Amino acid sequence: MSRSPSQNNEVRPRYAAAGIAGYGLIFILTLAVLLPLGMSTPEGYHAFYDEGSAVYASHRIAQGDHLYKDLWYFKGPLSYYCLGWIFSIFGESLAVARIAGAALLSILMVLVFACARRLAMLRENPDTWEAPLAGLTAWGLAAMAVVQRVSWHNSWCVSLLCLAAICCAIQAEQTGRRSWTAASGFLAGAAFLTKQVFGLWLILGMVALWAMGKARKNSESGLSPFIWLGGWIAPLAGWIIYSAFAGSLPDFFNLAILYPFKARGVVQGLALAPPALDFSGIGLVFYVLPILLIVLILRSFAAGIHKGRSLALYGVPALCLFGTLFPRADMGHLRPLIPLAAPGIALLMLDVLRKFSGPSKTMLAGAAVLTIFGLLLAGPSLRPAPQSSLDSRMAGGVTADPAIAREINALVLEIQRKTHPGEPIFVAPWAPLVYCLAERPNPTKARIIWPGQWSQPPYIDETVALLDKSGVNIIVWVSGQEKISGRNFEDYAPVMARHIDENFIPVKQIGRFNVLKRAAAHALPPGK
């Protein structure tokens, strides 16, 4: 018995409310799992480096500084300003960053589930169990990457924004509403402001979709390229206005737009130490996932089914986003891309299951889901492991491996003993979280000292001048970073290396950290 239009109008809000409640429940359950994981630190996790870089930049923003103008950076500003605003509201600590990261990842996991479920519903003659199975499978696949790194990081932020942009594009295609198109473009523009290369590759993916639609003369598409590009430009225009008032617009343009593409910037770093192609272990997974997506796109698009375009709306941009890190096949760079690939992999599993029927299909589906969740539960982050608290007030109760915790606690205590509150220190080449945990300021605009970013004299000269002007008497040297990207510190930062050698002497080694003190002959009072 068919429903009347009035009955459909009554049922639709109930379905919408049930869907919102269901996704809300997934968010709450995911957050309940991720919160305790976030408060611990997995062994070998580079909290002082990647996560510390985000926390430190956000800390400076919360203190009133502006990215690019007061702190040199070469990535988009959005994720750091968001965390900086969170710090301004809830207080600054590593724990607040981890809690915010757990919430961010919970939203990402909801999007992964929703995207896979939606795509499964758009398939030809879907069974009732296919949509929830696809969502559950994609959730499990993404969870294996997420639970290993529960933190606020710009890579997680851009992964969320890219997936949200793809989901909105699918909605635009299905409903024909231009508001969804504008929302997709806006989210893609926000992705550019988070990690520039992702936003650019999303444009490429959408251009490819538009060209494919033109080739097939698909005039029914709800994706207008002009509306989408208008949405993409909107967040960039908003940032330009904000940074113009903040006085950081010229620095943003030079550091985040021009510098990464200059011969002396990131391009030089890659040219001097290009990542090696890796077709073994995790590298093989990195290259296999895009191939699986290609197969998915070709099968659906070549079938000539109208709904196949919606599948391409997911697959083509997702495939382009894998190109952002090619050929960086290490797990650190692969991890944020796994949630983007998970819906496609889940749909491939459904394709395999459709070749079976009856009890065998049920058994295979159950075995696949149990295998995914078995691998998830067997992961290192979910295994009980000894943890010790970080004593710093700025840690907020975050724990770490006992050996690492002892090292960090001893370093923070040593810095605080040798300096007074408010006295600046400097950390080289890279461990910006030390500034936050020790609660000592960095008097320079330099967050890190890294190959390819320090070959222009003004950066080095200004940093050395600020070190002397501020009277820095303590430098923390991070051992194990003497050679980065195949280059020695004294080769890519010779002025800084010479300044440290001539003015500072080692006084204490604490694990990987060597505490240096300004030599008596070169001692300077603060402000001189």
Side-chain angles (χ1 to χ4, degrees), residues 399-477:
T399 62
D401 175 82
I404 295 175
R406 285 193 299 270
E407 180 181 318
I408 302 315
N409 292 337
L411 174 66
V412 170
L413 183 61
E414 181 69 14
I415 293 172
Q416 293 180 341
R417 279 176 177 172
K418 292 189 179 307
T419 58
H420 57 74
E423 181 179 343
I425 64 171
F426 191 70
V427 181
W430 186 26
L433 191 61
V434 171
Y435 297 115
C436 298
L437 295 182
E439 298 185 76
R440 296 296 185 264
N442 171 10
T444 76
K445 299 179 182 180
R447 169 186 54 99
I448 63 175
I449 304 176
W450 196 258
Q453 299 179 1
W454 285 82
S455 52
Q456 294 185 355
Y459 292 105
I460 286 284
D461 294 344
E462 183 176 341
T463 301
V464 171
L466 286 172
L467 286 178
D468 284 338
K469 181 180 179 181
S470 62
V472 165
N473 287 311
I474 293 294
I475 285 181
V476 178
W477 175 264

Side-chain angles (χ1 to χ4, degrees), residues 10-11 39 51 114-115 123 150 183 223 257 279 339 341 373 386 396 401 471 487 517 521:
E10 293 174 1
V11 169
M39 295 303 289
E51 182 184 18
C115 183
R123 290 153 59 83
V150 181
L223 275 178
I257 303 299
F279 292 101
F373 280 85
D401 175 82
R487 303 186 67 193
K517 186 176 182 180

